Amino acid sequence: MRVLLIKTSSLGDVIHTLPALTDAARAIPGIQFDWVVEEGFAEIPAWHPAVAQVIPVAIRRWRKNLWQTLKSGEWSRFKRRLKEVDYDLVIDAQGLLKSAWLTRYVRRRTPVAGLNRESAREPAASRFYRRTYPVAWGQHAVERVRQLFAQALDYPLPGGTGDYGLDRSRLLDSVETEPYLVFLHGTTWVTKHWPEAYWRELAERMGERGWSVRLPWGNDAERQRAERLAQGLENASVLPRLSLAGMAKVLAGASACVAVDTGLGHLAAALDVPTLSLFGPTNPGLTGAYGRSQVHLASDWSCAPCLQKTCTYQPTAEDKRQFDLRHEQPLCFTRLNPQRVATQLEALLLAPETLR
């Protein structure tokens, strides 16, 4: 059986889809998937053994220069590629109009499956599907995708925690190195950033316990932050800019990670790396790192989780006396101070499943 999967972005969403592929491969021997994914994340689907071909799409880039996209023939080549294979089924696991629109370019007789109107993030997307399925809200994103696949491919939903299906050992460096931690400090929303002063204090605390810390980055702002965090600390080092495959290798070799709500935190979870994830404005119950040895610390600040990209909280007079408002923002993260995080991280490092 050959299935075309459409799940284009984001990094976390792509990773959250992997357990559903594992379920399907175990339920239907020989099933293969071709996966349409944003070009920036095209490395990840190829790591799963059930994926036959990765079909990169560049919706973000194409939108910026539509004329050049048409003139270069890139769009035409993409449409032709979708028609090359006579698929048994198309699954749009994104549930957005942009992903549903791509289903128009497969062969006409191919059935298209997706979430129904009540379940899709953009209800109008369901109009593009021949087969629609209900999946309840209020569940983790991984479980929602697993349920969609089980219905669309007609197999019983497996119990227990989903399996990403990645072979972590293939990514490990053959050269032995000293144990290290990875601090995943970069994220998209300003409100999801743990304060720099906290990161630095945590690095100092872990250095006193003999741990080295590695700091990755993906853009200039993150590089500059990483350099500020590492400045003057012998145990902290800034990594070079890495591809996703290179980042996966670093994560796979780590003893543990500390992460904010970021796509790389989900990658660490997919690689079965013990990870302590910090949540201020977002809800870990819906999009937290999923898997074994994943610990979530969520703020219990009065307005958390607000799910807002801009903090609108107005500090009280007591807040101004108690906190350094220049360096401890957003204030919801003051519930997750470095001392508390360091204590939780040490407990994670001593857990039996971490000591391997």
Side-chain angles (χ1 to χ4, degrees), residues 159-174:
T161 302
D163 180 355
Y164 290 97
L166 304 184
D167 185 354
R168 181 170 173 265
S169 64
R170 291 178 57 191
L171 294 167
L172 288 170
D173 260 326
S174 57

Side-chain angles (χ1 to χ4, degrees), residues 4 55 116 119 209:
L4 180 68
I55 304 175
N116 69 8
S119 306
R209 291 157 176 77

Side-chain angles (χ1 to χ4, degrees), residues 280 298-305 313 315-316 319 322-323 330-335:
S299 175
D300 60 356
W301 194 260
S302 59
C303 54
Y313 177 79
T316 65
D319 294 333
Q322 189 174 359
F323 304 113
L331 284 177
C332 56
F333 276 125
T334 59
R335 302 293 201 205

Side-chain angles (χ1 to χ4, degrees), residues 83-90 103-112 130-131:
K83 286 183 168 26
E84 285 177 357
V85 177
D86 190 8
Y87 294 105
D88 298 290
L89 181 69
V90 177
T103 68
R104 292 171 55 91
Y105 301 105
V106 298
R107 298 184 183 184
R108 291 198 174 189
R109 64 176 177 272
T110 307
V112 178
R130 189 186 307 176
R131 304 173 185 173

Side-chain angles (χ1 to χ4, degrees), residues 210-236:
W211 286 98
S212 64
V213 173
R214 299 188 182 182
L215 299 163
W217 54 276
N219 55 45
D220 286 342
E222 291 179 5
R223 177 183 54 78
Q224 292 167 16
R225 184 190 308 112
E227 290 172 348
R228 290 193 297 270
L229 297 180
Q231 186 174 9
L233 298 181
E234 293 184 1
N235 68 310

Side-chain angles (χ1 to χ4, degrees), residues 9-37:
S9 60
S10 61
L11 177 57
D13 286 347
V14 170
I15 292 168
H16 286 160
T17 307
L18 296 171
L21 270 68
T22 305
D23 290 346
R26 290 173 178 171
I28 307 171
I31 191 171
Q32 289 188 313
F33 292 87
D34 291 352
W35 190 332
V36 177
V37 65

